[in-house]
């Protein structure tokens, strides 16, 4: 029997049961039918389908309510299966049920059924559904005899129809719907009016401008009529707010007419608090949805909100002008009085809703208007602080949250949204011991101007106002209060030391609360919040300033370690870590010496002992939570690192516990990191430490075999520290076994482990030169293989060079064997496939040659003269022989250059001439290697070798390009060199070189030569900035485009240098750069943008004050200019070339960088408009636009959330783009890259989406998730999750 036959038989059986007299049979039959309908393989014949529809509709009118409810649920999967005529039958029958007035229960069930049909039916049937259902709904709405409930249900169904299928409704039907809804805004029941405004909201998303204008005119006339009915006014004002949510762009154009009217109603509302509340809510919506258009009215709205956040007609107080001193004197009295007035007895009192709405208006302004931050601190912050005493708790919470939003925006304003943390990890172990002074030095610089300074001035008043609220009984108020204090610390990085005593009672009472109260989740959250605050307090204040507070704060913190809730224990351990650093601060001076404070206070010693005892107690508990175990080990490490000498008698016990934890698989990672930190402490010393280290070295060596990568990294970092400090006492067998474990790590398979492994070997060679034989046996063969790797660069290469230097010093006798081992494999390489010298691919493995050259140079620099001379002469002989292949010449030139940079080669006559002769070689690689060698030889003896280079640049135009490359090497390698050594300083010849370079920049040369000249100019300028930078500035106005381009590039090299010594000279140059952005030459504008991008990235303070001029010029370069697009004929094909693409790309790159460094100076909404334009540009621009959207969604989520609907069209265009059938592989890959970028962008934006604000985006996301890109979306989501998790791996362990 076929599947369809089986379905028919089964459905026939179910239909029979559905008409059974027994309600249980009917219920179960419906349930079985619903389960079958949800199966993908289920389908019905037309006859069977009709019977099923009829049976389900019949059961809608069943006597049993449970059967009726199940029939409604069954409609969902049923409407997805049935054909159009049966769908119409369902709609018609349900509409009949919903419009009859005899049976209210059936009418209600039918209304729910209609909603279910609208929600569940396929989206592509929307047009047919609307054509069938909308006329019936409108008939019910027009029916004057319809009951109140019927109208409510009908409006609910209509809202669902508009939400799902608004775009598929014809303009004629939209007109009918609007003309039927508008009169209902005057309906006498509030619930109906509310539903009408919701339906209007869904409707305006899809109506044309003509219908929208009709709607707005009706609304405006209603508001202007100053209707006596306050209820109608409320509805009209609320409707204006709804329009801003659903059609912000169109309503924004009319705000100038609306805002004054609504503002007037808010002021003149007399005792109508509900109208006033709705007016404020509408203003909040305007601010969030129409941020640009509302700008002229923001100050007016701020004043209104400030007035009504204090609006409390039922409670009169006259203490606003009280002197601060009087407040302090009357603290106790006020507290008692506050308890008395904390009431909400009057049921008719609606004023709290007005105050709450005013608070939300201020919060919206704070979130959207970064440009007003300073003004907000002057006018809004004092009022908010004064309102911390709000008597209604929900409003008080809102006010505190508004102030927290203000603090968070201040963090963004300062360009620093991260905590200044000192991580408890090996990689930043120095920070653990640097302690507090460094942090406060930087923070004091940050708070000298702007909003931070204004906040600092308000801290005393803020703390007094908040301390009263922290002593109330409300746990929620206390929790958000401490959260607010934490945000203050994050912004100011301190500043509470003078006010801290105000919070002692609240801290003690909360942390020492009774056990019964502890059962409440809210109480636990409060404790965690307080502990988090205390951790930041200890971390962000100088230890000497808060020593006096220890006796009040230490007991409750130490008691919290024993709390039964693991999260409280975990947080308490982190506070103990910071507390120990306050009890015994250790400072590191610039000289590297440590300044260790003494601990004379017996009470502090008692606290140290208590922390030690409670830490050991937790460490000896087998069932502790993993987080608690980790943090208890961290705390034990801090005890040993900060106060180990005080715990002298208990050290053996502590080290035994740490060794035990090191052997435990669960805790060994944190134990290794902790041991590394302790071993760097100047306090940690003694026999017990040494005993522990000698055991630990072998244990940790074995951990290098594990697959756990973070564990291997931590182990290597720890081993480096242990070998450097305790290597003299380690037995040789420990080194031997350690070297055997390091051997597998000497490969390019993991470039993070490799430099650590090489550094460990270097440490062993320095501490124990006798281990050199073990290194030769275990490590050298792997090293010689590794050197051939093209991946060996950066930190791995630096570590390799340091290791070879250590090896050379440890065993000078093996010098020649080492050099031969390095060089011989490359000397034996034959030119590939018998290609003649100078032919294509003549030089093999250039990266390996570079690595070998640097290794040989390091060895040569650390050996005796005889060995060094022999090596140099050998390479010299190779470059003179004509029959030597180019690979050997390339290696020889690089080696001579690397040695020449480190050693003066003037004792080898004519070596520079021999190198210059190779400028005429056939191989381009050999030519550039010769230029490299010449430049580096010159670095070793500038006075001898530089004049010939300079003279040949003037006299030999054919060799000028290579000679300039050599000069670039001289200038680059000499940067930061020893200027005091006048015998080898560039300064003597700087003027002559400068003049030569300026002349070269003016001549009409090929672009490659001009680029090298520009780089030389920029780097040479830094040797004497006060002399050369003003000369560059003068040439920005040159009549030659080549000169302006060269100067623009030269300045870039000056900007990227990290030194700030000459920043004052760069500031006026940056101002003049604005003129280059309007330069007639396209290339000059592009180079100027690249330089400005470097400035924004490296030194944003140089351009912050000119951003208001820069940003419009930047935006102008993002526009596609048709005059720069031309058609190129390539045989039978025509190809469009856009000469403006590169400059647009540079402009968008600069915009992307601005998001990281100058967010507070940007109008986010204007910025978003240009990102949106970039989504319609070419591939490279689109990719940048997607990256910017992801970035801006993190830093300005409120603004992005308002514009999500605008992004649907370009996203959809990218995903729906159809490739040509004959598209080449590169085009296909680019398109796939764009699709992945769109999906990543959608995933990043999804958390900001709200169905009420961005219904089109919500619908689009749903289509993407269920459409042809389902699998790609899933993979992109997994990738994003993985990236989040990887990021968390590098976060503070806290």
């Amino acid at each position: 029997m076929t599947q369809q036959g089986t379905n028919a038989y089964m459905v026939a059986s179910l239909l029979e049961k559905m008409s059974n007299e027994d309600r249980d049979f009917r219920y179960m039959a419906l349930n079985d039918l619903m389960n079958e309908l949800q199966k993908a393989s289920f389908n019905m014949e037309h006859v069977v389908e009709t019977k099923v529809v009829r049976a389900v509709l019949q059961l809608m009118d069943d006597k049993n309510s449970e059967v009726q409810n199940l029939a409604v649920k069954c409609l969902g999967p049923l409407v997805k299966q049935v054909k159009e005529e049966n769908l119409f039958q369902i709609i018609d029958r349900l509409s009949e049920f919903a419009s009859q007035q005899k049976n209210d229960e059936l009418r209600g069930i039918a209304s729910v059924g209609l909603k279910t049909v609208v929600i569940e039916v396929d989206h592509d049937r929307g047009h047919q559904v609307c054509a069938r259902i909308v006329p019936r709904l409108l008939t019910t709405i027009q029916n004057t005899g319809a009951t109140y409930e019927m109208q409510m249900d009908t409006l609910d169904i209509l809202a669902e129809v508009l939400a799902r299928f608004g775009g598929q409704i014809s303009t004629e039907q939209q007109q009918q719907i609007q003309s039927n809804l508008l009169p209902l805004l005057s309906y006498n029941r509030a619930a109906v009016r509310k539903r009408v405004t919701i339906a209007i909201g869904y409707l305006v998303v899809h109506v044309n401008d003509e219908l929208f204008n009709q709607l707005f005119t009706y609304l405006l006339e209603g508001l202007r009529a100053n209707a006596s009915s306050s209820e109608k006014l409320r509805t009209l004002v609320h409707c204006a707010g709804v329009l801003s949510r659903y059609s912000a762009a169109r309503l924004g154009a009319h705000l100038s007419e609306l805002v004054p009217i609504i503002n007037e109603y808010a002021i003149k509302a007399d005792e109508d608090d509900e109208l006033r509340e709705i007016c404020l809510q509408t203003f909040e919506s305007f601010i969030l949805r129409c941020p640009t258009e509302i700008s002229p009215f923001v100050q007016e709205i701020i004043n209104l909100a400030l007035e009504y956040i204090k609006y409390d007609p039922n409670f009169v107080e006259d203490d606003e002008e009280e002197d601060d001193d009087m407040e302090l004197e009357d603290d106790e009295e006020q507290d008692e009085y506050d308890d008395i007035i904390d009431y909400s007895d009057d049921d008719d009192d609606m004023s709290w809703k007005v105050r709450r709405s005013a608070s939300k208006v201020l919060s919206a302004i704070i979130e959207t208007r970064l440009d007003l931050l300073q003004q907000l601190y002057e006018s809004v912050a004092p009022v908010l602080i004064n309102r911390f005493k709000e008597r209604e708790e929900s409003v008080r919470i809102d006010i505190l949250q508004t102030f927290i939003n203000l603090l968070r925006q201040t963090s963004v304003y300062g360009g620093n949204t991260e905590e200044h943390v000192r991580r408890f990890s090996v990689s930043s172990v120095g920070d653990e011991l640097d302690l507090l002074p460094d942090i406060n030095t930087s923070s004091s610089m940050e708070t000298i101007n702007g909003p931070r300074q204004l906040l600092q001035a308000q801290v005393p008043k803020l703390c007094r106002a908040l301390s009263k609220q922290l002593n109330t009984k409300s746990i929620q108020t206390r929790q958000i209060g401490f959260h607010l204090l934490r945000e203050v610390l994050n912004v100011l990085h301190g500043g509470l030391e003078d006010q801290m005593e105000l919070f002692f009672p609240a801290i003690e009472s909360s942390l020492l609360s009774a056990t019964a109260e502890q059962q409440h989740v809210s109480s636990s959250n409060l404790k965690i919040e307080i502990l988090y605050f205390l951790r930041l307090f200890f971390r962000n204040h100088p230890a000497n300033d808060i020593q006096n507070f220890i006796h009040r704060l230490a007991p409750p913190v130490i008691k919290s370690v024993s709390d039964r809730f693991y999260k409280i224990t975990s947080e308490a351990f982190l506070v103990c870590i910071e507390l120990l650093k306050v009890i015994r601060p250790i400072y590191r001076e610039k000289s590297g010496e440590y300044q260790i404070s003494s601990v004379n206070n017996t009470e502090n010693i008692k606290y140290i002992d208590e922390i030690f005892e409670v830490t050991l107690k937790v460490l000896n508990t087998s069932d502790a939570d993993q987080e608690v175990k980790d943090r208890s080990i961290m705390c034990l490490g801090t005890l040993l690192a900060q106060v180990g000498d005080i715990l002298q008698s208990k050290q053996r016990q502590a080290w035994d516990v740490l060794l035990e934890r090191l052997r435990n698989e669960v805790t060994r990672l944190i134990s290794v990191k902790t041991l590394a930190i302790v071993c760097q402490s100047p306090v940690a010393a003694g026999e017990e430490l040494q005993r522990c280290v000698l055991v630990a070295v072998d244990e940790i060596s074995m951990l290098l075999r594990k697959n756990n990568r973070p564990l291997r990294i931590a182990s290597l970092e720890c081993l480096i520290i242990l070998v450097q400090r305790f290597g003299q006492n380690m037995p040789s067998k420990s080194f031997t076994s350690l070297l055997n474990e390091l051997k597998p790590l000497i490969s390019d398979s993991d470039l993070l482990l490799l430099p650590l492994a090489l550094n460990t070997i270097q440490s062993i060679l320095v501490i124990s030169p006798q281990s050199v034989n073990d290194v030769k046996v275990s490590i050298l063969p792997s090293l010689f293989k590794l050197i051939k790797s093209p991946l060996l660069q950066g930190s791995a290469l630096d570590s390799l060079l340091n290791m070879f230097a250590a090896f050379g010093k440890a065993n000078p006798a093996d010098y020649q064997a080492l050099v031969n081992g390095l060089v011989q494999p490359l000397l034996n390489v034959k030119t590939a496939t018998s290609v003649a010298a100078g032919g294509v691919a003549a030089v093999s493995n250039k990266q390996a040659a570079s690595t070998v050259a640097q290794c040989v140079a390091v060895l040569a620099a650390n050996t005796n003269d005889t060995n060094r001379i022999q090596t140099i002469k050998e390479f010299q002989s190779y470059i003179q022989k004509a029959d030597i292949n180019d690979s050997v010449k390339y290696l020889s030139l690089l080696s001579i250059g690397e040695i020449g940079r480190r050693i003066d080669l003037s004792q080898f006559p004519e070596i520079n001439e021999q190198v210059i002769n190779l400028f005429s070689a056939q191989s381009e690689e050999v030519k550039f290697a010769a230029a490299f060698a010449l430049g580096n030889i010159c670095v070793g003896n500038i006075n001898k070798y530089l004049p010939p280079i300079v003279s040949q640049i003037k006299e030999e135009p054919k060799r000028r390009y290579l000679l300039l490359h050599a000069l670039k090497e001289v200038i680059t390698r000499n940067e930061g060199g020893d200027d005091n050594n006048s015998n080898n300083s560039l300064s003597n010849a700087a003027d002559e070189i400068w003049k030569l370079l300026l002349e070269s920049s003016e001549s009409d040369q090929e672009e490659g030569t001009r680029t090298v000249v520009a780089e030389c100019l920029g780097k040479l300028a830094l040797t004497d900035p006060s002399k050369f930078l003003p000369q560059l500035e003068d040439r920005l106005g040159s009549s030659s485009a080549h000169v302006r381009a060269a100067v623009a590039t030269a300045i870039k090299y000056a900007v990227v240098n990290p030194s700030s010594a000459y920043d004052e000279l760069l500031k006026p140059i940056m101002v003049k750069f604005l003129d280059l952005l309007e330069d007639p030459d396209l290339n000059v504008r592009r180079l100027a943008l690249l330089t400005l991008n470097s400035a924004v990235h490296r030194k944003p303070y140089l351009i912050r004050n000119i951003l208001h001029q820069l940003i419009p010029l930047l935006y102008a370069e993002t526009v596609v200019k048709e005059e720069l697009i031309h058609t190129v004929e390539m045989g039978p094909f025509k190809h469009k070339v856009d000469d403006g693409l590169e400059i647009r790309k540079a402009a968008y790159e600069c915009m992307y960088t601005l998001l990281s460094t100058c967010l507070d100076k940007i109008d986010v909404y204007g910025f978003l408009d240009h990102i949106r334009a970039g989504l319609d540009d070419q591939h490279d621009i689109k990719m940048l636009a997607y990256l910017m959207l992801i970035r801006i969604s993190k830093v300005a989520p409120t603004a992005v959330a308002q514009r999500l609907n605008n992004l649907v069209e370009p996203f959809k265009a990218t995903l729906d783009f159809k490739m040509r059938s004959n598209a080449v592989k590169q085009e296909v890959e680019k398109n796939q890259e764009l699709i992945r970028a769109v999906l990543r962008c959608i995933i990043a934006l999804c958390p900001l989406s709200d169905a009420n604000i961005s219904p089109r985006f919500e619908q689009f996301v749903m289509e993407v998730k269920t459409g042809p890109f389902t699998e790609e979306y899933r993979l992109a989501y997994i990738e994003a999750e993985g990236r989040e998790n990887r990021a968390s791996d590098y976060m503070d362990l806290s």
Side-chain angles (χ1 to χ4, degrees), residues 935-1128:
N936 281 282
I937 290 169
C938 183
V939 172
N941 191 333
I942 287 178
N943 290 342
K944 177 174 181 180
Y945 294 119
L946 185 59
I949 294 176
V950 173
S951 61
Q952 286 195 50
I953 290 174
K954 296 175 183 175
E955 298 162 8
E956 301 273 356
K958 289 184 179 179
R959 291 181 170 180
R960 182 173 293 163
Y961 182 55
L962 292 170
L963 289 163
L964 284 168
H965 268 284
L967 182 61
K968 183 186 78 173
E969 286 291 329
V970 177
I971 297 169
T972 304
R973 301 291 187 181
N974 202 260
E975 267 187 310
D978 185 8
D979 288 338
N980 296 325
N981 183 0
S982 57
N983 294 326
N984 198 37
S985 172
L986 193 63
S987 56
N988 298 334
D991 288 339
E992 186 181 359
I993 298 171
W994 182 259
K995 185 179 177 184
L996 173 65
L997 291 171
L998 288 178
E999 288 171 1
S1000 298
S1001 70
E1002 291 169 5
S1003 59
D1004 188 13
Q1005 304 173 85
E1006 62 178 23
E1007 188 177 351
T1009 306
R1010 289 202 303 271
T1011 304
V1012 180
V1013 168
E1015 187 174 347
C1016 290
L1017 277 170
K1019 291 182 174 178
L1020 184 60
L1022 298 186
T1023 61
D1024 192 349
S1026 58
K1027 182 177 183 180
F1028 294 132
L1029 284 178
Q1031 293 185 43
L1032 285 180
E1033 183 182 350
D1034 292 341
R1035 280 168 174 74
L1036 283 172
S1038 168
S1039 57
S1040 166
H1042 292 321
V1043 173
R1044 295 196 302 275
V1047 173
T1049 306
I1051 297 294
K1052 182 173 80 171
Y1053 289 103
V1055 166
V1056 297
N1057 190 289
S1059 171
S1060 58
Y1062 48 86
D1063 285 350
E1064 289 304 315
L1065 295 167
L1066 284 173
K1067 281 183 180 176
I1069 295 178
M1070 290 296 111
V1071 174
K1072 289 197 174 181
F1073 253 75
L1074 297 176
D1075 295 334
L1076 291 189
L1077 290 183
E1078 298 180 275
D1079 198 280
D1081 188 89
L1082 198 64
N1083 190 46
V1084 172
R1085 294 209 304 275
R1086 183 181 66 81
L1087 293 171
L1089 274 173
L1090 292 174
T1091 301
L1092 284 168
N1093 187 31
S1094 298
V1096 172
H1097 181 62
R1098 297 296 184 91
K1099 296 181 177 180
Y1101 49 87
L1102 292 178
I1103 51 95
R1104 285 179 72 84
N1105 293 331
I1106 58 168
L1107 268 180
H1108 63 285
Q1109 297 167 269
L1110 167 63
I1111 287 176
L1113 297 171
L1114 194 61
Y1115 288 163
E1117 295 300 343
T1118 64
V1119 179
V1120 178
K1121 294 169 182 166
E1122 293 298 328
E1123 63 271 21
L1124 296 177
I1125 299 174
H1126 55 92
T1127 303
V1128 176

Side-chain angles (χ1 to χ4, degrees), residues 440-461:
N440 282 296
T441 303
S442 62
S443 68
S444 63
M445 289 173 65
E446 287 175 9
T447 55
I448 56 172
N449 54 23
R452 280 194 169 93
Q453 186 185 25
L454 293 169
L455 171 62
Q456 185 76 59
Q458 294 177 30
V459 162
K461 188 177 178 186

Side-chain angles (χ1 to χ4, degrees), residues 1098-1254:
R1098 297 296 184 91
K1099 296 181 177 180
Y1101 49 87
L1102 292 178
I1103 51 95
R1104 285 179 72 84
N1105 293 331
I1106 58 168
L1107 268 180
H1108 63 285
Q1109 297 167 269
L1110 167 63
I1111 287 176
L1113 297 171
L1114 194 61
Y1115 288 163
E1117 295 300 343
T1118 64
V1119 179
V1120 178
K1121 294 169 182 166
E1122 293 298 328
E1123 63 271 21
L1124 296 177
I1125 299 174
H1126 55 92
T1127 303
V1128 176
E1129 292 188 8
M1130 302 172 72
F1133 305 106
K1134 290 186 177 179
H1135 178 62
K1136 276 192 175 181
V1137 176
D1138 185 353
D1139 291 335
L1141 176 61
E1142 286 302 315
I1143 194 168
R1144 289 204 306 281
K1145 190 176 171 185
Y1148 276 105
E1149 284 170 353
C1150 195
M1151 285 172 62
Y1152 181 72
T1153 311
L1154 282 170
L1155 281 179
S1156 301
T1157 56
C1158 303
L1159 181 66
D1160 58 297
K1161 295 284 187 180
I1162 297 170
D1163 171 17
V1164 177
Y1165 300 98
F1167 198 90
L1168 278 168
D1169 290 339
H1170 287 84
I1171 294 177
R1172 167 64 185 83
L1175 294 175
D1176 295 327
D1177 211 316
Q1178 296 192 35
H1179 172 271
D1180 291 349
I1181 308 293
K1182 282 183 181 179
M1183 292 300 294
L1184 281 167
Y1186 294 134
L1187 283 174
M1188 280 193 276
L1189 273 175
I1190 293 171
R1191 170 77 66 87
I1192 202 170
S1193 70
K1194 301 286 189 294
V1195 294
T1198 308
V1200 178
Q1202 313 310 319
R1203 302 293 177 91
L1204 290 179
N1205 278 346
N1206 299 349
L1207 303 175
V1208 172
E1209 193 178 325
F1211 283 0
K1212 202 172 175 60
T1214 300
L1215 293 179
D1216 294 345
F1217 180 74
K1218 301 295 179 191
M1219 296 294 297
R1220 293 181 291 111
S1221 58
N1222 61 343
V1224 297
K1225 184 182 177 184
Q1226 188 183 14
E1227 290 176 320
V1228 174
E1229 287 174 351
K1230 278 188 168 185
N1231 188 57
Q1232 288 172 344
E1233 188 181 19
L1234 280 176
I1235 289 169
R1236 286 195 297 273
V1238 170
L1239 295 175
R1240 282 196 294 268
C1241 202
I1242 291 169
I1243 289 164
L1245 297 174
C1246 269
L1248 311 182
S1249 181
D1250 180 338
N1252 292 331
I1253 301 170
S1254 46

